[in-house]
Amino acid sequence: MAIQNPTTQLFLPCAVVLVMFAVGTTLTGDDLRRIATRPRAFALGLLAHTLLLPLLAFAIAAALGLSPEVAVGLVVIAACPANAAANLVTHFARGDTMLSVSLTAAASLASVVTVPFYVNTALRLHPLGAGAVRLPVLAGALGLFLISTLPVLAGMQLRRARPALARRIESRMNAFGLAVIVAVVAAAVWSEKETVGPALVRAGGPALLLNVLAVSLAWGAAAAARLGRAQRVAVGLECGLQNFAMAAFVCLTLLGSKALLLPGIAYGLTMWLSAAAVVALARRAGRAAGRETRPAA
């Protein structure tokens, strides 16, 4: 599987670290202070990710009468923290990158408790013939923190100490970041080429439904809370881009079931559709706002 591929294990984490370092060069300490003094967006985003997304997975499984393997697998991917790429895609969409980074780190730390709770609940509701499991996800959460949050902080430090160099790195970030995202998708498809078809047939519909509902409801909740466009983008993408590597670890290593990973594979492929839509809509809205505020010639 993907997490057992040396290329995926070595190249992609290193590439994500470099990208997140570049993201950090665009941020300053004022961004952190702004989140600390205005925590409403952070609280809403964390609640949406740790509560709304798993509950949607349970509801879809019940409403569609999914098989136990697909139902539990859908809950597994929903319970995992966000992919580090959510921070990068938020930056592309001109969203609140610091909010996205903070939400990713917080959800990763919370996953030590939330993932075992939701997965064990799913196993009780949809028994597979296995007993309760204890998921040692602390190492995975720490790994995500190391490849997403710490590089950003290092980039921020470079921005403070060497602003000219930070601006040069920032100017080259978009092309490199896009290449990394293409590499992530290509590596996932190639590594799982034998199971991509079955995954999409059995779990593609529920996975896509979960993704669309999660992004839409999270965005709607952020709008109802009167958050700004940049914060709505961050909250929506944080609830749409999930950590496939952790889902694979839970399904393959801890639960010992390849079938449980099928919804994760389907979600890992279809989630880029909603991400692309959010980026396109957000950037278009940003350009329109810029035209409205530009003084007439």
Side-chain angles (χ1 to χ4, degrees):
M1 305 303 290
I3 59 171
Q4 297 172 327
N5 188 309
T7 301
T8 305
Q9 287 179 318
L10 298 177
F11 169 72
L12 292 181
C14 292
V16 171
V17 166
L18 291 176
V19 171
M20 298 315 300
F21 176 78
V23 170
T25 63
T26 69
L27 304 173
T28 67
D30 291 338
D31 297 299
L32 285 172
R33 287 188 287 272
R34 174 170 53 82
I35 289 176
T37 56
R38 300 174 63 186
R40 183 175 55 166
F42 176 81
L44 187 147
L46 186 61
L47 185 65
H49 194 278
T50 58
L51 184 63
L52 173 65
L53 196 53
L55 291 182
L56 278 175
F58 281 111
I60 290 172
L64 299 182
L66 300 178
S67 67
E69 291 81 5
V70 175
V72 174
L74 201 65
V75 172
V76 170
I77 189 66
C80 287
N83 193 317
N87 313 145
L88 175 63
V89 177
T90 297
H91 179 80
F92 285 158
R94 299 173 182 171
D96 191 331
T97 307
M98 194 67 249
L99 174 61
S100 177
V101 171
S102 301
L103 288 173
T104 298
S108 300
L109 295 176
S111 67
V112 178
V113 175
T114 57
V115 171
F117 172 76
Y118 287 125
V119 172
N120 286 335
T121 300
L123 287 169
R124 286 194 295 269
L125 293 175
H126 308 279
L128 302 172
V133 295
R134 296 293 180 266
L135 306 180
V137 296
L138 180 58
L142 179 60
L144 185 59
F145 179 83
L146 291 174
I147 69 170
S148 62
T149 304
L150 288 187
V152 169
L153 296 177
M156 292 176 62
Q157 176 61 24
L158 179 67
R159 174 67 175 262
R160 187 184 69 83
R162 301 278 301 277
L165 176 59
R167 283 192 291 271
R168 287 199 298 271
I169 294 174
E170 178 184 354
S171 67
R172 294 171 172 81
M173 178 193 160
N174 285 346
F176 179 71
L178 180 60
V180 169
I181 288 181
V182 171
V184 169
V185 177
V189 172
W190 177 256
S191 299
E192 310 298 339
K193 57 184 179 296
E194 295 180 354
T195 54
V196 166
L200 292 176
V201 170
R202 292 188 59 188
L208 181 60
L209 179 61
L210 172 63
N211 181 253
V212 171
L213 287 178
V215 174
S216 301
L217 292 178
W219 184 288
R226 298 183 179 179
L227 300 183
R229 181 188 60 82
Q231 293 174 319
R232 295 198 299 269
V233 169
V235 171
L237 288 173
E238 195 71 15
C239 290
L241 293 172
Q242 292 298 94
N243 190 339
F244 170 77
M246 185 175 287
F249 172 73
V250 171
C251 293
L252 299 179
T253 303
L254 301 178
L255 298 177
S257 173
K258 192 173 183 178
L260 292 181
L261 189 57
L262 294 182
I265 295 171
Y267 193 100
L269 294 173
T270 58
M271 68 183 182
W272 299 107
L273 299 176
S274 66
V278 170
V279 170
L281 292 174
R283 291 180 71 92
R284 180 182 300 175
R287 288 193 296 268
R291 287 193 295 269
E292 291 174 1
T293 57
R294 189 179 302 124

